[in-house]
Amino acid sequence: METDSPAPADTPRTPPAQAAPVPARSPERAAHRDPGPGPTLREAAAPGLDAPDPGAPTRGYRAVFAVTEFRAVFAAHLLSLLGVVVSELALTVLVYDLTGSPLLSALTFALGLLPYLIGGTLFAGVADRYPARRVLVVCDLLCAACVAVMLVPATPVAGLLALRCLVAAIAPVFTGTRMAALTDILGEGDLYVLGRSLLRIVSQGAMLIGFGAGGVLLTVLSPRGAITVTVVTFLCSAALLRFGTRDRPARAGAGEGGGTLLKESLSGARLVLGDRRVRALMLLFWLPAMFVVAPEALAAPYADAIGASPAALGLLLCAMAVGHIGAELFVGSALSPRNRSRIVLPVAAAGLLPLLVYAVRPGLPLALAALALAGAGAAYVIGLDQWFVDAVPQELRGRAMTLLTAGLMTVQGLGMALAGLAAEFFPVHQVVAGSGIIGTVCTLLLVAEVRGTAPGRMSDTEGRDGADRHVTSR
């Protein structure tokens, strides 16, 4: 499902498989400790696997697939993600068939985004409180059960929408737990970064393939028949994770400190967002994503405005994903960890500029080129992944990554809604261009904040506030 087992903070980390040896601590990274008098969040955490020397050549994606546990995680991710995409399409058709309401049909898609914030905030503590493998398997089984109830003909439309919300609320817990578990499977260095990159590429590809596969299935199966596929994919994902990954203890003991799950989740969110460095990095994931969705949200009205065919609309929806996949594959395979780190801030700052092309109301070829370039700009997150995992203490990692996932989905949904609202008052091409302008200005301000929290650039007082210094050299 969409859209990553941990060890407790006071025990030695389990090393990854032999294909991914434990890297030695880099002298350069050791030199990045903050000179301030107070311990940072990272310094308070137990030591774990360190990233390899940022200047060393990357071992590429092949080294990631050499890790047996990652292959199981990758296959589970692919299966469940395809199932989710197919079920979203089939459920939308089912709701429309039952009600004849375009509003309820569209709401079915929207409900896939809205509960992310609730689930990611209120249940984030699950990711650190319980063993990762158990959390992942239970999440898959719960989602399979929800989808199975959707198949019952007596389930009313309100029940279908409620079940859709429940699946969406579980999703950020699953994704955040899996992201944190990857640091145990692959270590905290280059293999982790490339593993995360592969999962993102699969997510982008599944959107392209899944909707096509869903359309084909709906020509030969009923909507409920197509939804059945999702039950199977969730169960297969649960089996792969149960038998293909190792059981590791939880990062934080269950009920640690006597707190409830809700208290642990909220306190984790306060600690994560209260750290200036972590907060800035998290916003760098969120902010560009909020603005870059505008052309996708408005693809249909823009295609109509320029007189494009339905086939052209499909190209407009696919162009950004194609650019993202191509750029991420190149950055992940051709650049060293040091160079991936160096491009983070420049690429993030310039990533939304291609949307300015919409100011001249471009035709289809120029619009497709601009969208592909905007998608390619998202490749900065490969280096940002390393910075983020370096900045977050091990015992907070599950909660931090769950919150990261929930926020990312929420801001994208908010960005789509705001773009649609703006298009009620302004021409579509001006809204997209405006998103590029406003987003670029906001991102530049955020880039300055990220630079300000870099090692050696913060005052001693800020150091006592817990801002992290352990960022890969750029």
Side-chain angles (χ1 to χ4, degrees), residues 11-328:
T11 60
R13 300 288 298 279
T14 303
Q18 290 184 355
V22 180
R25 178 179 295 273
S26 165
E28 180 176 306
R29 285 171 55 80
H32 283 170
R33 289 287 186 183
D34 175 52
T40 65
L41 275 179
R42 182 65 172 181
E43 289 169 335
L49 293 176
D50 229 339
D53 183 352
T58 180
R59 287 174 286 176
Y61 292 112
R62 183 178 300 178
V64 182
F65 279 116
V67 181
T68 304
E69 288 188 85
F70 178 78
R71 293 199 296 270
V73 172
F74 181 85
H77 178 64
L78 178 60
L79 279 172
S80 62
L81 189 58
L82 285 173
V84 167
V85 174
V86 170
S87 70
E88 286 178 346
L89 181 59
L91 186 60
T92 301
V93 174
L94 176 61
V95 169
Y96 185 74
D97 287 346
L98 292 173
T99 65
S101 169
L103 174 61
L104 288 177
S105 179
L107 185 61
T108 305
F109 262 118
L111 289 176
L113 296 176
L114 298 179
Y116 260 77
L117 184 60
I118 298 173
T121 302
L122 301 184
F123 307 128
V126 170
D128 292 318
R129 186 179 178 126
Y130 301 104
R133 188 177 72 175
R134 185 191 308 172
V135 173
L136 296 175
V137 172
V138 169
C139 284
D140 267 339
L141 293 178
L142 286 174
C143 289
C146 290
V147 177
V149 176
M150 293 179 187
L151 300 176
V152 178
T155 305
V157 172
L160 293 174
L161 297 180
L163 291 167
R164 178 79 173 98
C165 285
L166 184 56
V167 171
I170 295 171
V173 177
F174 180 95
T175 305
T177 303
R178 186 188 61 213
M179 288 170 62
L182 277 185
T183 62
D184 296 304
I185 295 171
L186 300 174
E188 297 178 4
D190 195 43
L191 288 183
Y192 166 80
V193 172
L194 294 179
R196 285 281 298 127
S197 172
L198 281 170
L199 296 185
R200 270 195 303 270
I201 291 170
V202 168
S203 298
Q204 293 288 331
M207 296 298 293
L208 300 177
I209 299 170
F211 283 124
V216 172
L217 281 175
L218 288 172
T219 64
V220 296
L221 298 173
S222 67
R224 280 194 169 92
I227 293 173
T228 304
V229 174
T230 302
V231 179
V232 177
T233 58
F234 277 134
L235 293 176
C236 290
S237 174
L240 283 166
L241 293 170
R242 171 60 180 82
F243 299 106
T245 61
R246 295 168 56 186
D247 190 22
R248 297 176 175 87
R251 283 190 165 79
E256 190 178 68
T260 63
L261 175 60
L262 178 60
K263 181 179 179 181
E264 288 181 19
S265 300
L266 295 177
S267 65
R270 284 194 297 270
L271 285 171
V272 169
L273 295 176
D275 182 88
R276 182 183 170 192
R277 176 66 177 171
V278 176
R279 183 175 64 246
L281 295 177
M282 193 172 285
L283 287 172
L284 195 56
F285 279 104
W286 292 348
L287 194 64
M290 178 178 177
F291 290 97
V292 81
V293 297
E296 291 183 325
L298 301 176
Y302 186 73
D304 182 64
I306 63 175
S309 66
L313 172 58
L315 291 175
L316 288 171
L317 290 171
C318 293
M320 197 173 292
V322 170
H324 185 174
I325 292 172
E328 185 138 359

